[in-house]
Amino acid sequence: MSVTENKTTENKTETAEDADAESDTATEKKTNSFAGAVDWELAAKTGVRLSPRGPKVSRYTAEAAVTELSEASIRAEGPVREVTRLADGLPIPAAQVVDRAGWVRAAAYSMEQMTGTGLGGDDADKGLLAGKPAGVQAGAMLAFLSSAILGQYDPFTGPDGTLLLVAPNIVMVERALKVSPTDFRLWVCLHEVTHRVQFSSSPWLTDYMQQSVAVLGEVGDESVSELVGRLGEALRERKRANNGDGPAEQRGVVGLLRATQAPPQREALDRLLMLGTLLEGHADHVMDAVGPAVVPSVEQIRRAFDNRRKRSANPVQRLIRALLGMDAKMEQYVRGKKFVDAVVGQVGMDQFNAIWTGPDTLPLTTEIEAPDKWIARVLG
């Protein structure tokens, strides 16, 4: 081999090494924007301090509500499994009945687990103030939500997840709706237990959510001009299409968030939105499908509850709800339930359950409003 050939080979090797180094650098540039961004311990403390007090009740009433909710969470499991045809033979963990402060602490811990944003390890090197401003903001958000959440299933804590029921909020709403407390408490449990059944019978859902959140938190090396360009184009497209009444993922704060994101992050957000729409719609379907044999006043509760959802809030509350994405979540219940009602009505629950097979069988953005398209793609 000649000297020239040796030099050529060396150059090729150096070029390949340089390319690998550049690739590694590009990979390193994609970091988790969530990591270290929020001090969740401070968020929990702030949320507890700011959360409003619950309704005034006697000690007897409070203890009775806790006892009845605990029992209702167990009673709900049977009807949910019967309707969904899921989770047969799986254990039935006890629910945690909490007050608003308890929910704030649990929610902060859950967010830390889901996003991987604890301040341990390398994040601790970012300084004493790392994550604290965002922690205060997150705490204020949790405080606001603490008076609105009736229950929540957290799949990210413990082997069986954690089912939370917020007793003061449930009591407050059942009083406002003037419905049977016993029926309403069981009705709420049916919704939250359905979420537990969804995740316990489809363990891949937890990883799917965490992976989507991880992608959502990736930060590349895009310039500000690229971000502004996408936002400007989205606003121009919105004006041309005049689609202010389009689905939640295309309008309002969520729509603007999507517009500023690069394609991978936008796709991850869409996956999370569609999954949330399915989960909430499926749970609402189950709540009503159990019928009066389980919840005698189910129709009265549904009418009263839907009317409450539609009730207009004051301008400040509307702004806060929009910023926190609560309006988008309310739309998820409606759109998701229509989808589930339509599919189950056409093919039955057994065939509908193909939806829990894996990521590829979840509804696409274009299918949530067109159930026939999902049936054709997944069930053939």
Side-chain angles (χ1 to χ4, degrees):
M1 182 179 290
S2 66
V3 174
T4 303
E5 288 173 328
N6 280 329
K7 287 183 177 180
T8 302
T9 303
E10 290 172 1
N11 288 338
K12 287 180 178 179
T13 303
E14 291 173 358
T15 301
E17 290 175 349
D18 290 342
D20 290 340
E22 290 176 3
S23 176
D24 291 339
T25 302
T27 301
E28 290 172 0
K29 287 180 180 177
K30 282 190 175 182
T31 58
N32 184 356
S33 65
F34 296 138
V38 181
D39 183 338
W40 287 108
E41 183 177 353
L42 177 59
K45 291 178 180 177
T46 303
V48 169
R49 194 178 306 118
L50 296 179
S51 59
R53 298 182 65 179
K56 291 183 178 181
V57 296
S58 67
R59 183 171 181 176
Y60 172 81
T61 300
E63 291 177 349
V66 170
T67 299
E68 187 166 24
L69 284 168
S70 298
E71 293 173 352
S73 69
I74 302 299
R75 287 175 53 208
E77 194 83 22
V80 168
R81 293 187 182 194
E82 183 178 349
V83 171
T84 63
R85 316 285 179 87
L86 298 172
D88 282 347
L90 294 180
I92 305 176
Q96 292 185 19
V97 184
V98 297
D99 58 11
R100 290 173 177 177
W103 178 82
V104 167
R105 295 188 191 96
Y109 181 68
S110 176
M111 290 296 294
E112 183 178 14
Q113 297 302 305
M114 181 176 68
T115 60
T117 53
L119 290 177
D122 294 338
D123 294 328
D125 298 332
K126 294 182 180 180
L128 294 175
L129 293 177
K132 293 193 180 299
V136 173
Q137 293 171 348
M141 175 192 74
L142 292 174
F144 179 83
L145 292 174
S146 69
S147 62
I149 301 296
L150 301 182
Q152 176 181 332
Y153 175 70
D154 174 14
F156 304 106
T157 53
D160 299 310
T162 305
L163 179 61
L164 301 168
L165 298 168
V166 190
N169 294 347
I170 293 172
V171 171
M172 179 182 68
V173 173
E174 69 193 23
R175 286 179 173 179
L177 299 181
K178 299 179 180 178
V179 295
S180 162
T182 297
D183 284 3
F184 185 73
R185 293 167 189 179
L186 179 57
W187 194 68
V188 171
C189 287
L190 289 168
H191 185 101
E192 303 308 330
V193 166
T194 299
H195 288 321
R196 181 166 65 189
V197 165
Q198 291 162 346
F199 280 88
S200 62
S201 59
S202 309
W204 60 270
L205 281 173
T206 303
D207 289 338
Y208 178 80
M209 286 186 69
Q210 287 180 313
Q211 290 166 7
S212 296
V213 170
V215 172
L216 197 60
E218 287 180 353
V219 177
D221 56 356
E222 289 186 300
S223 66
V224 174
S225 61
E226 290 177 302
L227 185 149
V228 172
R230 283 202 304 273
L231 178 58
E233 177 57 31
L235 291 173
R236 287 191 295 272
E237 179 61 31
R238 180 180 295 189
K239 185 176 180 180
R240 285 194 297 267
N242 191 26
N243 63 349
D245 294 327
E249 65 270 11
Q250 295 177 6
R251 59 181 169 83
V253 175
V254 175
L256 293 179
L257 176 62
R258 289 182 76 257
T260 61
Q261 292 174 322
Q265 283 70 48
R266 190 181 306 156
E267 291 167 5
L269 179 60
D270 284 344
R271 288 195 296 271
L272 288 170
L273 287 170
M274 284 303 99
L275 177 60
T277 301
L278 170 65
L279 296 178
E280 299 298 352
H282 182 240
D284 258 18
H285 171 88
V286 173
M287 290 170 82
D288 293 346
V290 295
V294 176
V295 182
S297 58
V298 61
E299 293 182 3
Q300 177 194 353
I301 291 174
R302 168 56 72 189
R303 283 195 304 270
F305 199 72
D306 285 347
N307 289 335
R308 184 175 184 271
R309 281 178 177 174
K310 297 172 185 176
R311 194 176 305 152
S312 60
N314 66 53
V316 174
Q317 287 180 323
R318 285 201 299 269
L319 175 61
I320 295 174
R321 289 170 64 90
L323 291 174
L324 296 181
M326 292 177 69
D327 290 338
K329 187 173 180 63
M330 289 302 153
E331 186 170 312
Q332 284 182 319
Y333 288 102
V334 176
R335 298 171 69 205
K337 186 174 185 298
K338 285 183 178 178
F339 172 84
V340 177
D341 287 347
V343 175
V344 172
Q346 289 187 52
V347 303
M349 185 61 77
D350 287 331
Q351 290 198 65
F352 169 83
N353 282 339
I355 209 164
W356 310 115
T357 304
D360 292 340
T361 56
L362 293 175
L364 305 176
T365 303
T366 55
E367 294 172 343
I368 203 71
E369 305 285 359
D372 288 342
K373 291 183 178 179
W374 180 86
I375 292 174
R377 179 177 65 87
V378 175
L379 302 180

